[in-house]
Amino acid sequence: MISNLPDRIFLCGFMGAGKSLIGHKLAEKLERTFLDLDDKIEEKAGQSIPEIFDETGEAGFRTLERRALQEVIREFEGVVALGGGSLQNQHMVDHIKLNGLLVFIETPISVILDRISEDQNRPLLLDEEGNPKDRAQLKEELTALYEQRLPLYQQAVITISNEGQNPDKIVQTLLKKIRNHVEYY
Ligand code: S3P
C-alpha cells in the first residue's frame, strides 16, 4: 500500500499504448477502482465510440469526452485511463494535473502502428467509408498526430516507457515511481 496517494491517477498516451491494461493492473495493486474514460463516454451516450463519431463527428466526440472527464474529476477517485486525445489542449492538461497525478505511457510510434492499424473500433484509423486507411497514409497521419500531442503528454509528472516490457513489469516500475513521487512531495 502507498499512503498519501492522490485522489486520481490519470494515464495518458497515444492509442495502443496500453493505458487500459496497465491501468487495470495498477488499480488492482493500489487497491483502487479503475475507470476507462472511453467506457464512460460510451455509457453516458448509450452509443459506441464509432457510432458517436458517425453521428456527430470528431468535434461531437470531443465535447462528450470533455464532459465525461469533468464528471470523473467531480465524482470519481481511483485510476483513470484517458483516451489518446483526451489532453485536448493546455487548459485540459493543467486542469487534470490540478486534480490528480498525470502519468504518460510512452510508446514508440512504430510499435503503435503495428499494434493498432487493423483496429475497427478506433474511428481515426478508418477512411470515410469506414474501411481501414492504407498503411502509408496511416503512418503519415498518426506520426503527425503523435508529434502534435507529444508536448502535451510530456507534461505528465511521471513518464514510463512500455517498450519491450511486459505489462506486469511496467506496473512494478510504475509503482516504484509513484511511491518515490508521493514520498518526495
Ligand atoms: C482517440 C483514442 C481512443 C478514443 C477515440 C479517439 C484519439 O482511445 O478515445 O477513438 O483521439 O486518440 P484509446 O487511446 O484508448 O484508443
Side-chain angles (χ1 to χ4, degrees), residues 32 47 52 61 73 89 96 118 123 127 133 148 156 159-160 163 178 182:
R32 304 292 294 270
Q47 284 178 308
I52 299 170
F61 172 76
I73 288 173
N89 50 44
I96 288 175
E118 305 290 314
D127 64 20
K133 290 176 183 165
Q148 183 191 318
T159 295
I160 180 130
E163 205 181 352
I178 293 174
V182 170

mmCIF file of all heavy atoms in Angstrom, residues 32 47 52 61 73 89 96 118 123 127 133 148 156 159-160 163 178 182:
data_model
loop_
_atom_site.group_PDB
_atom_site.id
_atom_site.type_symbol
_atom_site.label_atom_id
_atom_site.label_comp_id
_atom_site.label_asym_id
_atom_site.label_seq_id
_atom_site.Cartn_x
_atom_site.Cartn_y
_atom_site.Cartn_z
ATOM 1 N N ARG A 32 -7.363 0.318 -5.645
ATOM 2 C CA ARG A 32 -8.225 1.438 -6.005
ATOM 3 C C ARG A 32 -9.136 1.005 -7.150
ATOM 4 O O ARG A 32 -8.901 -0.009 -7.797
ATOM 5 C CB ARG A 32 -7.382 2.649 -6.466
ATOM 6 C CG ARG A 32 -6.350 3.126 -5.462
ATOM 7 C CD ARG A 32 -6.965 3.747 -4.222
ATOM 8 N NE ARG A 32 -7.669 4.978 -4.517
ATOM 9 C CZ ARG A 32 -7.124 6.185 -4.494
ATOM 10 N NH1 ARG A 32 -5.857 6.333 -4.183
ATOM 11 N NH2 ARG A 32 -7.841 7.259 -4.746
ATOM 12 N N GLN A 47 -24.027 4.860 -26.734
ATOM 13 C CA GLN A 47 -23.565 4.543 -28.091
ATOM 14 C C GLN A 47 -22.093 4.148 -28.031
ATOM 15 O O GLN A 47 -21.381 4.577 -27.119
ATOM 16 C CB GLN A 47 -23.640 5.798 -28.974
ATOM 17 C CG GLN A 47 -25.028 6.178 -29.440
ATOM 18 C CD GLN A 47 -24.974 7.456 -30.271
ATOM 19 O OE1 GLN A 47 -24.407 8.453 -29.815
ATOM 20 N NE2 GLN A 47 -25.549 7.425 -31.460
ATOM 21 N N ILE A 52 -20.707 7.313 -32.154
ATOM 22 C CA ILE A 52 -20.662 8.746 -31.800
ATOM 23 C C ILE A 52 -19.951 9.526 -32.913
ATOM 24 O O ILE A 52 -20.426 10.569 -33.367
ATOM 25 C CB ILE A 52 -19.941 8.966 -30.443
ATOM 26 C CG1 ILE A 52 -20.675 8.241 -29.311
ATOM 27 C CG2 ILE A 52 -19.803 10.451 -30.134
ATOM 28 C CD1 ILE A 52 -19.927 8.193 -27.984
ATOM 29 N N PHE A 61 -17.618 14.136 -30.518
ATOM 30 C CA PHE A 61 -16.982 13.203 -29.585
ATOM 31 C C PHE A 61 -16.155 13.953 -28.545
ATOM 32 O O PHE A 61 -16.198 13.653 -27.346
ATOM 33 C CB PHE A 61 -16.098 12.205 -30.349
ATOM 34 C CG PHE A 61 -15.267 11.343 -29.442
ATOM 35 C CD1 PHE A 61 -15.839 10.287 -28.738
ATOM 36 C CD2 PHE A 61 -13.912 11.607 -29.245
ATOM 37 C CE1 PHE A 61 -15.081 9.511 -27.860
ATOM 38 C CE2 PHE A 61 -13.143 10.842 -28.377
ATOM 39 C CZ PHE A 61 -13.731 9.790 -27.682
ATOM 40 N N ILE A 73 -13.662 13.963 -12.720
ATOM 41 C CA ILE A 73 -12.924 14.795 -11.762
ATOM 42 C C ILE A 73 -13.813 15.150 -10.559
ATOM 43 O O ILE A 73 -13.367 15.178 -9.423
ATOM 44 C CB ILE A 73 -12.361 16.048 -12.468
ATOM 45 C CG1 ILE A 73 -11.191 15.632 -13.371
ATOM 46 C CG2 ILE A 73 -11.936 17.125 -11.468
ATOM 47 C CD1 ILE A 73 -10.638 16.722 -14.262
ATOM 48 N N ASN A 89 -5.924 20.181 -25.021
ATOM 49 C CA ASN A 89 -5.211 21.463 -25.097
ATOM 50 C C ASN A 89 -4.508 21.716 -23.748
ATOM 51 O O ASN A 89 -4.642 20.931 -22.814
ATOM 52 C CB ASN A 89 -6.198 22.605 -25.406
ATOM 53 C CG ASN A 89 -7.400 22.555 -24.461
ATOM 54 O OD1 ASN A 89 -7.254 22.359 -23.255
ATOM 55 N ND2 ASN A 89 -8.601 22.705 -24.998
ATOM 56 N N ILE A 96 -6.267 18.702 -15.392
ATOM 57 C CA ILE A 96 -6.053 17.313 -14.952
ATOM 58 C C ILE A 96 -4.955 17.269 -13.892
ATOM 59 O O ILE A 96 -5.087 16.594 -12.862
ATOM 60 C CB ILE A 96 -5.709 16.414 -16.169
ATOM 61 C CG1 ILE A 96 -6.964 16.203 -17.018
ATOM 62 C CG2 ILE A 96 -5.121 15.079 -15.723
ATOM 63 C CD1 ILE A 96 -6.751 15.453 -18.300
ATOM 64 N N GLU A 118 -4.990 -2.407 -37.577
ATOM 65 C CA GLU A 118 -6.144 -3.202 -38.046
ATOM 66 C C GLU A 118 -7.409 -2.954 -37.212
ATOM 67 O O GLU A 118 -8.439 -3.581 -37.431
ATOM 68 C CB GLU A 118 -5.826 -4.707 -37.948
ATOM 69 C CG GLU A 118 -4.568 -5.143 -38.677
ATOM 70 C CD GLU A 118 -4.740 -5.061 -40.182
ATOM 71 O OE1 GLU A 118 -5.778 -5.512 -40.675
ATOM 72 O OE2 GLU A 118 -3.831 -4.513 -40.855
ATOM 73 N N PRO A 123 -12.140 5.110 -34.746
ATOM 74 C CA PRO A 123 -12.574 5.799 -35.967
ATOM 75 C C PRO A 123 -11.457 6.575 -36.663
ATOM 76 O O PRO A 123 -11.488 6.721 -37.886
ATOM 77 C CB PRO A 123 -13.658 6.758 -35.476
ATOM 78 C CG PRO A 123 -14.122 6.189 -34.186
ATOM 79 C CD PRO A 123 -12.970 5.466 -33.583
ATOM 80 N N ASP A 127 -11.162 5.204 -43.026
ATOM 81 C CA ASP A 127 -11.462 6.241 -44.021
ATOM 82 C C ASP A 127 -12.955 6.593 -43.978
ATOM 83 O O ASP A 127 -13.700 6.072 -43.134
ATOM 84 C CB ASP A 127 -11.013 5.812 -45.427
ATOM 85 C CG ASP A 127 -11.775 4.585 -45.934
ATOM 86 O OD1 ASP A 127 -12.866 4.298 -45.398
ATOM 87 O OD2 ASP A 127 -11.280 3.928 -46.857
ATOM 88 N N LYS A 133 -7.618 2.704 -43.246
ATOM 89 C CA LYS A 133 -6.792 3.511 -44.158
ATOM 90 C C LYS A 133 -5.574 2.693 -44.571
ATOM 91 O O LYS A 133 -5.144 1.819 -43.810
ATOM 92 C CB LYS A 133 -6.314 4.773 -43.415
ATOM 93 C CG LYS A 133 -7.418 5.762 -43.143
ATOM 94 C CD LYS A 133 -6.930 6.942 -42.318
ATOM 95 C CE LYS A 133 -8.075 7.889 -41.990
ATOM 96 N NZ LYS A 133 -7.784 8.843 -40.939
ATOM 97 N N GLN A 148 2.143 16.102 -32.693
ATOM 98 C CA GLN A 148 1.324 17.227 -32.221
ATOM 99 C C GLN A 148 0.945 17.039 -30.738
ATOM 100 O O GLN A 148 0.921 17.989 -29.972
ATOM 101 C CB GLN A 148 0.081 17.262 -33.105
ATOM 102 C CG GLN A 148 -0.891 18.369 -32.858
ATOM 103 C CD GLN A 148 -2.193 18.085 -33.625
ATOM 104 O OE1 GLN A 148 -2.175 17.642 -34.778
ATOM 105 N NE2 GLN A 148 -3.308 18.307 -32.985
ATOM 106 N N ALA A 156 3.323 15.283 -18.305
ATOM 107 C CA ALA A 156 2.979 14.375 -17.206
ATOM 108 C C ALA A 156 4.071 14.446 -16.139
ATOM 109 O O ALA A 156 5.237 14.725 -16.434
ATOM 110 C CB ALA A 156 2.839 12.952 -17.733
ATOM 111 N N THR A 159 6.733 9.669 -16.302
ATOM 112 C CA THR A 159 6.717 9.042 -17.632
ATOM 113 C C THR A 159 7.253 7.634 -17.491
ATOM 114 O O THR A 159 8.220 7.393 -16.776
ATOM 115 C CB THR A 159 7.609 9.844 -18.605
ATOM 116 O OG1 THR A 159 7.023 11.122 -18.781
ATOM 117 C CG2 THR A 159 7.707 9.168 -19.965
ATOM 118 N N ILE A 160 6.600 6.711 -18.189
ATOM 119 C CA ILE A 160 7.059 5.326 -18.133
ATOM 120 C C ILE A 160 7.054 4.779 -19.562
ATOM 121 O O ILE A 160 6.095 4.969 -20.296
ATOM 122 C CB ILE A 160 6.179 4.490 -17.172
ATOM 123 C CG1 ILE A 160 6.674 3.058 -17.125
ATOM 124 C CG2 ILE A 160 4.714 4.496 -17.518
ATOM 125 C CD1 ILE A 160 6.851 2.574 -15.731
ATOM 126 N N GLU A 163 8.261 0.029 -23.787
ATOM 127 C CA GLU A 163 8.924 -0.658 -24.888
ATOM 128 C C GLU A 163 9.596 -1.939 -24.408
ATOM 129 O O GLU A 163 10.395 -1.914 -23.463
ATOM 130 C CB GLU A 163 9.965 0.283 -25.505
ATOM 131 C CG GLU A 163 10.237 -0.072 -26.944
ATOM 132 C CD GLU A 163 11.290 0.830 -27.564
ATOM 133 O OE1 GLU A 163 11.693 1.811 -26.915
ATOM 134 O OE2 GLU A 163 11.686 0.529 -28.692
ATOM 135 N N ILE A 178 5.686 5.983 -8.594
ATOM 136 C CA ILE A 178 4.606 6.662 -7.864
ATOM 137 C C ILE A 178 4.994 6.789 -6.391
ATOM 138 O O ILE A 178 4.838 7.841 -5.780
ATOM 139 C CB ILE A 178 3.262 5.909 -8.032
ATOM 140 C CG1 ILE A 178 2.786 5.997 -9.483
ATOM 141 C CG2 ILE A 178 2.202 6.471 -7.076
ATOM 142 C CD1 ILE A 178 1.557 5.175 -9.803
ATOM 143 N N VAL A 182 5.290 10.277 -4.426
ATOM 144 C CA VAL A 182 4.401 10.603 -3.308
ATOM 145 C C VAL A 182 5.214 10.843 -2.030
ATOM 146 O O VAL A 182 4.920 11.748 -1.254
ATOM 147 C CB VAL A 182 3.370 9.460 -3.123
ATOM 148 C CG1 VAL A 182 2.602 9.639 -1.832
ATOM 149 C CG2 VAL A 182 2.417 9.415 -4.293
#
